[in-house]
Amino acid sequence: MLEWLQDRLSRQQGIAIWVVKQVDDTTLHLCGKGLAEGTERVSRRRRALGRGTFVGPVRIGEHHEVLHSNLFAWLPLRDELRLIDDREAEYAGRRYHVSWVPERCWRFQGPLISHPQRNDGKLRFVSHEDVAVIREKTTTPSASTTPSRNADGWSLAARDDD
């Protein structure tokens, strides 16, 4: 009976993770610390996180917002990724630059780009939505992008000059 109760209660616990939105060659776009939650046993969730196959709710941020794991590229366990400082992290013996992802970008499903930003006299990198493709589509007019419009039987009448 006690084992059943402990197992049932342990399913409610979250597993401490880092939430990574995007991984580039040398840069991690890091959202911050989070918790991998779900109804499966903690050991199963931990194994899934280790394999990179975890699917479920992720609690993240100051307001403990719950988002789906599909929004993120990578969810390493908190003790597997070591944050050296605000600009560098180490994972599996490899160093990465860190670019912090603001909360407004957590749900964004396109590529991110990193920009330097000064905050309290310190230089950090902050991730932003890469809208270059969208901007390019809007600035290059093309005849194929504007569909032809049928009049549906209506026509403009010549105006009488009375």
Side-chain angles (χ1 to χ4, degrees), residues 156-160:
L156 295 176
R159 184 176 172 171
D160 294 333

Side-chain angles (χ1 to χ4, degrees), residues 18 26 28 30 33 78-100 122-124:
W18 285 102
T26 59
L28 294 177
L30 190 63
K33 295 178 179 180
R78 201 152 315 149
D79 56 352
E80 291 178 355
L81 187 140
R82 185 174 68 91
L83 195 62
I84 297 168
D85 57 18
D86 278 351
R87 295 173 55 184
E88 283 191 311
E90 186 175 13
Y91 176 74
R94 184 173 173 203
R95 282 195 176 203
Y96 292 92
H97 297 286
V98 173
S99 183
W100 294 94
K122 296 179 182 178
L123 181 68
R124 325 177 17 160

Side-chain angles (χ1 to χ4, degrees), residues 13-136:
Q13 295 174 350
I15 299 172
I17 57 171
W18 285 102
V19 181
V20 179
K21 180 68 177 166
Q22 178 179 311
V23 181
D24 297 338
D25 291 336
T26 59
T27 305
L28 294 177
H29 296 267
L30 190 63
C31 295
K33 295 178 179 180
L35 294 172
E37 298 182 340
T39 56
E40 288 185 328
R41 291 182 178 176
V42 172
S43 60
R44 286 185 183 165
R45 278 184 279 154
R46 189 174 294 277
R47 279 194 304 267
L49 286 163
R51 290 189 308 262
T53 59
F54 174 76
V55 176
V58 174
R59 188 173 296 275
I60 182 175
E62 293 176 3
H63 306 292
H64 304 289
E65 190 169 1
V66 178
L67 300 172
H68 197 273
S69 60
N70 288 345
L71 290 172
F72 307 105
W74 191 27
L75 301 169
L77 296 171
R78 201 152 315 149
D79 56 352
E80 291 178 355
L81 187 140
R82 185 174 68 91
L83 195 62
I84 297 168
D85 57 18
D86 278 351
R87 295 173 55 184
E88 283 191 311
E90 186 175 13
Y91 176 74
R94 184 173 173 203
R95 282 195 176 203
Y96 292 92
H97 297 286
V98 173
S99 183
W100 294 94
V101 179
E103 190 172 340
R104 75 168 195 276
C105 297
W106 291 352
R107 289 184 176 90
F108 182 68
Q109 294 186 350
L112 298 173
I113 54 175
S114 183
H115 292 288
Q117 184 175 7
R118 287 215 177 270
N119 191 8
D120 297 331
K122 296 179 182 178
L123 181 68
R124 325 177 17 160
F125 287 87
V126 178
S127 299
H128 297 282
E129 303 92 337
D130 186 4
V131 293
V133 174
I134 298 169
R135 188 174 291 127
E136 184 178 309

